[in-house]
């Protein structure tokens, strides 16, 4: 009986305790105990040809395994064994690959420290990624006691994800996955085209509220729903370098800002990729430290790896020109990545997007159940004055990060970048005709339609639902820009709906209806 045939009991039906599995298996007419009982490649024999003895009274575990191949051969010389069951001279054997060993043997190697669990995917090969995950779970449950029976049962690992797509790309030391519900809101009418927007979230009422916002925006004047523009498109990386003194730091700044020198840097920078195209270098000086904010186009990729590689080469070029320049760090927080910062709010990072629409007062009344004047007044007091009072950076909105994160999760984006991607200013005005003019300004949406988690099956499906998966061959960068427009429009819908609920004081009721499980 193999381990795979014995999976239900072997995996989690009983508690494993290193080399003390009290499970005897009758293997090829020879009783085997302990680790050797589990699917050894020699039908009950260890790789040394040793036959495990029964542990009788006074026989220690060490004594049990002290006999060598010669003793085993002598003990069993009287048996007429089948050819495939005869002990093998280990000195003539070829090295055994890890993938050829049984699960039990690998678990024992993990328990004794002969193999580290983070090496499983590498040693087993990418085609055995599923097995690596299963073995790691078994190791943590049996050898370390770090995963209890309850954890093992609650954390899924089968059927929901292709681990070959994860290995070496998305995650290490994998023990399973966390399912997140995906809802769809829409249709979103954006620049005359309709989209069903996938949102992955565990916050009840979010998808329903965004859906209501989309309904109101479909009634916008002009017949095209939300209108969007891309103000700029460029990923940034901001290394920090050090010179001997402030004069040399100033000299570097002036040298980089010279047009001819910038062209030389650009040539080196652009040579690293067919998509990376340097747009500008913003230089800041603090004492003898120089911060260089490189900004470039990255096609349909979000582009952090691309720009990091290109920046690294540009820095090496600068070192050749300034021999006394020391590279302190490839990232000096002048980028700025995954942190609140004024530089992203003012200069932009990734895609800078503006969306606007004029919603008739009748739609505000019939769909949003409120009035234009109430929305305008609330927006000034909450999103503008309130955010200013709190000292917010880029937080002049009601809950932009809710929609950003939900779409990011669904489409395989780097969710930590929702920090700067959620920078947003929501503005509302009453028009001369009494309708509602609304705009969303988001200067730093960082998204890609290739790379990262976008290749995982579920996330790929969500991108395909939006019609933006992969790279736009004829116009590189167009898919990522379109995704940024969709993110901003989704934020607009969520802002409109939540502000309406707050204006009419029905937020709590809505959440109680949609965010609380009923018995």
């Amino acid at each position: 009986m193999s381990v795979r045939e014995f999976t239900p009991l072997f995996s989690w039906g009983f508690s494993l305790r290193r080399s003390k599995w009290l499970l005897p298996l009758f293997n090829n007419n020879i009783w085997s105990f302990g680790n050797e009982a589990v699917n050894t490649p020699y039908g009950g024999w260890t790789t040394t040809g040793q036959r495990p003895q029964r542990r009788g009274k006074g026989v220690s575990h060490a004594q049990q395994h002290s006999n060598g191949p010669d003793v085993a051969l002598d003990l069993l010389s009287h048996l007429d064994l089948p050819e495939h069951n005869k002990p093998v001279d280990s000195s003539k054997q070829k090295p055994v690959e890890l993938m050829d060993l049984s699960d039990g043997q690998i678990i024992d190697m993990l328990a004794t420290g002969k193999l580290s669990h983070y090496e499983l995917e590498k040693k087993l090969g990418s085609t055995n990624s599923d097995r690596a995950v299963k073995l790691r779970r078994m190791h943590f449950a049996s050898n370390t006691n770090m995963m209890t029976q309850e954890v093992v049962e609650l954390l899924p690992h089968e059927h929901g994800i292709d681990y070959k797509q994860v290995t070496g790309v998305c995650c290490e030391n994998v023990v399973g996955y966390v399912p997140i519900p995906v809802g769809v809101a829409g249709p979103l009418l954006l620049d005359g085209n309709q989209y069903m927007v996938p949102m992955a979230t565990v916050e009840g009422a979010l998808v329903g509220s965004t859906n209501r916002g989309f309904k109101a925006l479909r009634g916008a004047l002009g017949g095209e729903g939300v209108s969007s523009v891309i103000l700029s498109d460029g990923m940034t990386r901001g290394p920090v370098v050090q010179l001997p003194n402030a004069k040399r730091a100033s000299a570097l700044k002036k040298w980089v800002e010279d047009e001819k020198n910038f062209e030389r840097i650009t040539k080196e920078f652009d040579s690293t990729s067919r998509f990376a195209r340097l747009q500008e270098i913003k230089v800041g000086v603090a004492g003898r430290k120089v911060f260089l904010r490189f900004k470039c186009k990255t096609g349909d990729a979000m582009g952090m790896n691309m720009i990091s590689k290109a920046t690294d080469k540009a820095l090496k070029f600068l070192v050749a020109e300034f021999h006394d320049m020391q590279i302190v760090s490839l990232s000096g927080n002048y980028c700025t990545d995954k942190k609140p910062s004024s530089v992203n709010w003012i200069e932009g990072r990734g895609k800078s997007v503006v969306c606007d629409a004029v919603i008739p007062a009748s739609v505000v009344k019939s769909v949003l159940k409120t009035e234009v004047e109430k929305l305008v007044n609330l927006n000034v007091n909450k999103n503008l004055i309130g955010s200013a009072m709190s000292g917010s950076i880029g937080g002049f909105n009601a809950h932009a990060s809710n929609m950003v994160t939900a779409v990011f999760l669904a489409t395989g984006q780097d969710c930590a970048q929702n920090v700067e991607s959620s920078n947003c200013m929501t503005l509302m005005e009453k028009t001369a005709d009494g309708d509602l003019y609304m705009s969303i300004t988001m200067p730093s949406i960082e998204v890609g339609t290739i790379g990262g988690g976008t290749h995982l099956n579920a996330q790929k499906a969500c991108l395909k639902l939006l019609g933006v998966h992969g790279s736009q061959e004829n116009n590189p960068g167009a898919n990522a820009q379109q995704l940024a427009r969709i993110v901003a429009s989704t934020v607009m819908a969520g802002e409109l709906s939540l502000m309406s609920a707050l204006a009419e004081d029905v937020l709590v009721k809505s959440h109680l209806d949609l965010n609380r499980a009923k018995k």
Side-chain angles (χ1 to χ4, degrees):
M1 179 181 293
S2 70
V3 170
R4 292 185 180 87
E5 293 168 332
F6 210 62
T7 295
L9 178 59
F10 177 81
S11 297
W12 315 118
F14 62 95
S15 180
L16 305 178
R17 289 294 181 270
R18 294 204 172 186
S19 298
K20 300 177 183 178
W21 306 344
L22 304 179
L23 174 69
L25 300 180
F26 197 79
N27 192 358
N28 292 318
N29 299 319
I30 298 176
W31 281 103
S32 301
F33 290 83
N35 294 325
E36 294 84 8
V38 188
N39 199 29
T40 57
Y42 304 105
W45 300 90
T46 65
T47 54
T48 62
Q50 174 185 343
R51 176 184 181 240
Q53 300 178 11
R54 287 196 189 189
R55 286 184 62 180
K57 213 170 186 181
V59 180
S60 69
H61 189 274
Q63 289 173 326
Q64 174 190 344
H65 292 277
S66 63
N67 294 329
D70 295 335
V71 177
L73 288 171
D74 182 62
L75 289 172
L76 300 173
S77 58
H78 65 285
L79 293 179
D80 185 18
L81 297 174
E83 189 67 29
H84 68 275
N85 269 348
K86 289 184 178 180
V88 180
D89 184 354
S90 60
S91 64
K92 297 180 180 179
Q93 282 185 269
K94 294 181 180 179
V96 178
E97 297 288 341
L98 190 69
M99 67 181 68
D100 296 327
L101 299 179
S102 69
D103 288 356
Q105 289 172 308
I106 295 175
I107 290 294
D108 195 47
M109 291 176 67
L110 291 168
T112 57
K114 294 178 181 178
L115 177 68
S116 297
H117 72 85
Y118 59 80
E119 298 179 292
L120 284 169
E121 283 82 0
K122 180 180 178 181
K123 295 291 181 70
L124 289 171
S126 59
T127 56
N128 289 303
S129 296
D130 289 7
R131 187 184 180 198
V133 173
K134 183 183 76 171
L135 287 167
R136 186 174 292 111
R137 288 165 63 97
M138 293 163 64
H139 167 61
F140 283 142
S142 62
N143 296 327
T144 69
N145 296 322
M146 290 182 182
M147 290 181 69
T148 64
Q149 179 78 12
E150 182 183 18
V151 171
V152 167
E153 291 174 353
L154 290 176
L155 182 65
H157 73 289
E158 294 180 314
H159 311 305
I161 194 168
D162 184 352
Y163 291 109
K164 293 190 294 294
Q165 296 179 340
V166 175
T167 302
V169 181
C170 297
C171 189
E172 301 77 41
N173 302 342
V174 181
V175 293
Y177 61 91
V178 176
I180 301 177
V182 178
V184 289
L188 157 65
L189 183 59
L190 171 61
D191 297 321
N193 299 308
Q194 292 192 346
Y195 303 88
M196 294 302 295
V197 180
M199 303 175 70
T201 182
V202 291
E203 181 179 348
L206 179 60
V207 177
S209 179
T210 306
N211 198 65
R212 182 173 77 144
F214 282 150
K215 183 178 180 180
L217 291 172
R218 288 197 299 273
L221 298 178
E224 294 194 347
V226 178
S227 175
S228 68
V229 292
I230 300 288
L231 298 181
S232 67
D233 183 358
M235 182 48 64
T236 62
R237 175 56 89 191
V240 55
V241 301
Q242 178 175 289
L243 281 298
N245 50 55
K247 283 187 176 180
R248 289 295 290 160
S250 176
L252 174 61
K253 181 179 187 297
K254 292 177 180 178
W255 192 92
V256 170
E257 291 173 345
D258 181 83
E259 186 176 345
K260 290 184 178 179
N261 293 332
F262 177 76
E263 289 176 358
R264 294 174 63 192
I265 298 172
T266 299
K267 184 178 180 181
E268 295 294 322
F269 187 99
D270 292 358
S271 68
T272 61
S273 169
R274 60 194 179 104
F275 295 111
R277 293 296 176 263
L278 185 61
Q279 297 171 314
E280 66 178 24
I281 305 175
K282 182 179 177 65
V283 186
V285 176
R288 61 174 181 158
K289 307 291 192 298
V290 180
F291 295 82
L292 304 153
R293 193 173 192 257
F294 291 79
K295 182 178 181 179
C296 79
K297 288 190 174 181
T298 56
D300 284 302
M302 182 271 288
M304 281 305 301
N305 290 335
M306 188 187 302
I307 192 173
S308 295
K309 178 182 176 183
T311 300
D312 183 63
K313 185 166 185 180
L315 289 177
K316 288 179 170 59
F317 172 74
L318 288 176
V319 169
E321 296 291 331
F322 288 78
H323 299 292
D324 54 354
M325 186 186 99
Q326 175 189 351
I327 300 172
V328 178
S329 174
L330 181 64
S331 174
N333 280 5
Y334 198 47
C335 315
T336 296
D337 190 42
K338 302 173 183 176
K339 290 167 283 293
S341 70
S342 296
V343 70
N344 287 343
W345 177 241
I346 297 169
E347 298 289 337
R349 189 172 195 251
K351 280 70 175 167
S352 296
V353 186
V354 177
C355 293
D356 66 355
V358 177
I359 303 124
S362 59
V363 174
V364 172
K365 185 69 174 177
S366 62
V367 177
L368 301 173
K369 312 301 182 186
T370 189
E371 299 172 5
V372 173
E373 291 84 355
K374 287 184 177 181
L375 285 173
V376 173
N377 182 61
L378 175 62
N379 191 70
V380 170
N381 285 284
K382 172 182 168 60
N383 290 340
L384 303 184
I385 299 176
S387 295
M389 286 292 291
S390 69
S392 178
I393 297 175
F396 298 90
N397 59 81
H399 68 145
S401 64
N402 250 338
M403 286 69 70
V404 171
T405 304
V407 177
F408 270 32
L409 283 169
T411 58
Q413 308 305 310
D414 187 339
C415 288
Q417 289 182 322
N418 90 77
V419 174
E420 60 269 36
S421 294
S422 297
N423 282 339
C424 173
M425 179 177 284
T426 299
L427 296 177
M428 295 182 181
E429 306 170 35
K430 184 177 181 179
T431 69
D433 295 326
D435 298 322
L436 176 67
Y437 171 81
M438 180 181 183
S439 68
I440 292 287
T441 302
M442 303 184 72
S444 49
I445 300 178
E446 299 166 7
V447 292
T449 56
I450 57 173
T454 63
H455 73 290
L456 299 174
N457 289 335
Q459 289 81 344
K460 182 192 298 184
C462 290
L463 287 169
K464 285 182 175 292
L465 175 63
L466 295 170
V468 294
H469 176 258
S471 180
Q472 174 60 259
E473 296 295 333
N474 299 326
N475 185 15
N479 278 352
Q481 287 187 0
Q482 188 61 26
L483 179 57
R485 294 173 191 261
I486 291 170
V487 169
S489 301
T490 304
V491 168
M492 190 174 185
E495 289 282 283
L496 183 57
S497 184
L498 175 59
M499 292 293 285
S500 299
L502 288 170
E504 295 301 321
D505 196 22
V506 295
L507 176 65
V508 174
K509 181 180 182 301
S510 299
H511 271 262
L512 288 176
D513 289 343
L514 299 174
N515 200 19
R516 291 289 183 271
K518 297 179 177 62
K519 293 183 180 179

